[in-house]
Amino acid sequence: MIPVLKGKNVVLGVTGSIACYKAVDLASKLTQGGALVDVVMSEDATRFVAPLAFGSITHRAVTTSLFDPDSELSVEHVALADRADILVVAPATANTLAKMSLGLTDNALVATYAATAAPVLVAPAMDGHMWENAAIQENVSRLKHHGVRVVGPDSGYLASGKVGAGRMAAPEVILDYVRAVLGQGGPLAGSRIVVSAGGTREPLDPVRVITNRSSGKMGHALAEAARDMGASVTLVSASETLDAPPALEIVRVETAIEMRDAIEEACQGADALIMAAAVSDYRAAEASSHKLKKTGGPLSLTLVQNPDILASVEGPTVRVGFAAESRDLLENANSKLVSKGLDMIVANDITELGSGFGADTNKAAILTADGEIHQLPVMSKLELAHRVLEQMSNILIAKEE
Ligand code: C5P
């Protein structure tokens, strides 16, 4: 379940491109996220993928014609257009983009587009030369001018066998843009939130680093959730493995010092800083510029302490910390809350099953500066992120009053 999608009416327009098969995956991801997905297909799209494929996934009627006696559109041709919280056209062919840009209404999809007041997102898919074509580019510019958001296309291998720009954006990327659009005007609209993620890497020499087991998943989930709640988000990430979440600003860093500099800059005028990153407490006093060699005996390293970013950063109204502990969870978390002067701390016992580094779930307790303790059950990192942000938002509102 993805909170921002829950119960939302998503109209998914599918047009005649080989990328139709990826739209089945998108319909599935939207449905699994909790959205009610009404698929509208152009006639050519039905040559690539049967309407049954979409209906089987969405458990809802699929519209293929303006004159389909089973379709709600035959009763009231603007029914889907009225109901939509968002219209997503993926894949969007050059032909459909042209019709949309000119206001043509000769099939169920473009008629829905013309009649809807909902935000519209298109994911173009076509051959590279078609995408570069001046008339097609003009149509896309006109659509953008009309407020339509355009995701992609990506570059890569195309169905024609050529390589170039024209591949439909990946379903998970389109999904993220849908989340961002649906989240606009949400409870954090107008807020600027800075989130840190991942484990920093402190070089010892050009090959070795001191690091930790943090995956960055919790921090990335927090950034996505804040975006889904309408905030403008800067994610300062030290994660080496996770992709940049779409529709937010990301700054990639490696060391604690780089993270501090990026956070200090991002925190100017920010409403909140959430430090989910596992920052290395120490770094090598001097990293060797050449690879260290075996000596046949023990090796001593001199480490110096890194600055405590959370305790010293100036700017954000609310500061939220994380405490990953292996014992005396609440006591240790509370002493960090107090010593760093935080508004809130999220404590998690990394020895618990389904909790901590690398997992997709987490079991945490939220402690606030005024002594509240919220013990939460095991839940997905995205759900926990929403709980943390709801709590943070209450503190922010109280402090800004
Ligand atoms: O002191 P400790 O590292 O246990 O505190 C954890 C919290 O402090 C986390 O939110 C972490 O991101 C933050 N932290 C920091 N700078 C450091 C060390 C930790 O901001 N150098």
Side-chain angles (χ1 to χ4, degrees):
M1 186 65 68
I2 300 173
V4 73
L5 292 180
K6 197 164 174 247
K8 294 280 166 52
N9 288 290
V10 177
V11 176
L12 175 60
V14 181
T15 68
S17 149
I18 179 61
C20 277
Y21 77 93
K22 296 190 202 167
V24 179
D25 185 26
L26 177 59
S28 170
K29 286 185 161 64
L30 288 163
T31 306
Q32 285 177 46
L36 307 167
V37 184
D38 289 306
V39 174
V40 184
M41 300 177 77
S42 71
E43 200 183 328
D44 284 345
T46 65
R47 295 171 188 265
F48 287 97
V49 176
L52 183 63
F54 287 102
S56 307
I57 278 170
T58 61
H59 307 292
R60 295 168 76 83
V62 174
T63 302
T64 54
S65 159
L66 267 174
F67 308 105
D68 180 352
D70 296 332
S71 162
E72 291 176 69
L73 288 172
S74 68
V75 182
E76 189 190 349
H77 83 282
V78 291
L80 290 180
D82 278 351
R83 186 195 301 159
D85 291 304
I86 185 169
L87 167 63
V88 184
V89 185
T93 58
N95 185 44
T96 294
L97 292 169
K99 288 184 184 183
M100 287 168 69
S101 79
L102 291 172
L104 297 187
T105 57
D106 64 350
N107 67 32
L109 172 58
V110 288
T112 303
Y113 166 69
T116 194
V120 180
L121 198 80
V122 297
M126 64 195 75
D127 184 63
H129 286 141
M130 283 176 79
W131 176 248
E132 285 160 17
N133 176 281
I136 291 170
Q137 282 300 315
E138 261 179 47
N139 291 337
V140 172
S141 300
R142 198 174 312 118
L143 284 171
K144 284 184 183 167
H145 183 68
H146 295 162
V148 171
R149 288 141 173 110
V150 181
V151 183
D154 290 347
S155 291
Y157 180 82
L158 302 168
S160 61
K162 295 179 206 148
V163 174
R167 282 166 68 98
M168 188 179 90
E172 50 276 18
V173 173
I174 301 173
L175 181 78
D176 266 74
Y177 277 96
V178 171
R179 289 168 55 178
V181 170
L182 288 173
Q184 281 171 358
L188 291 178
S191 305
R192 273 205 48 228
I193 314 273
V194 181
V195 180
S196 71
T200 59
R201 296 182 298 288
E202 310 295 333
L204 298 178
D205 67 16
V207 179
R208 287 93 169 195
V209 291
I210 301 177
T211 189
N212 57 67
R213 295 182 194 280
S214 169
S215 63
K217 285 181 181 173
M218 191 63 230
H220 279 234
L222 277 158
E224 290 173 12
R227 176 205 61 199
D228 291 358
M229 291 168 77
S232 124
V233 180
T234 303
L235 171 62
V236 180
S237 179
S239 174
E240 271 192 300
T241 50
L242 299 179
D243 289 337
L248 54 80
E249 186 193 356
I250 183 163
V251 184
R252 298 273 192 188
V253 295
E254 201 169 309
T255 64
I257 298 289
E258 284 172 17
M259 180 168 274
R260 180 202 57 194
D261 293 347
I263 285 179
E264 278 181 356
E265 196 181 327
C267 275
Q268 303 299 317
D271 294 288
L273 166 65
I274 307 176
M275 279 294 295
V279 184
S280 177
D281 287 329
Y282 289 91
R283 66 178 185 278
E286 218 171 319
S288 167
S289 52
H290 295 287
K291 188 179 169 191
L292 297 170
K293 296 289 178 203
K294 285 193 277 288
T295 59
L299 172 72
S300 299
L301 287 170
T302 305
L303 303 178
V304 292
Q305 204 170 322
N306 272 324
D308 192 309
I309 304 170
L310 189 55
S312 60
V313 71
E314 285 173 14
T317 310
V318 173
R319 283 179 304 132
V320 180
F322 270 71
E325 303 291 340
S326 53
R327 63 180 169 193
D328 302 329
L329 179 66
L330 296 182
E331 295 82 341
N332 282 330
N334 195 52
S335 62
K336 281 176 194 175
L337 176 80
V338 174
S339 67
K340 297 185 193 226
L342 307 180
D343 297 281
M344 194 173 129
I345 195 156
V346 184
N348 68 301
D349 183 342
I350 49 172
T351 62
E352 284 237 18
L353 207 65
S355 197
F357 302 133
D360 289 322
T361 54
N362 213 345
K363 183 173 185 302
I366 299 177
L367 287 71
T368 66
D370 38 356
E372 286 175 32
I373 300 178
H374 303 271
Q375 288 276 10
L376 301 173
V378 177
M379 55 181 72
S380 74
K381 287 187 170 170
L382 185 64
E383 277 178 282
L384 176 61
H386 275 268
R387 295 289 192 97
V388 169
L389 289 164
E390 278 157 21
Q391 204 67 43
M392 184 219 72
S393 161
N394 292 340
I395 298 174
L396 186 62
I397 292 166
K399 278 192 135 179
E400 284 182 344
E401 261 172 10

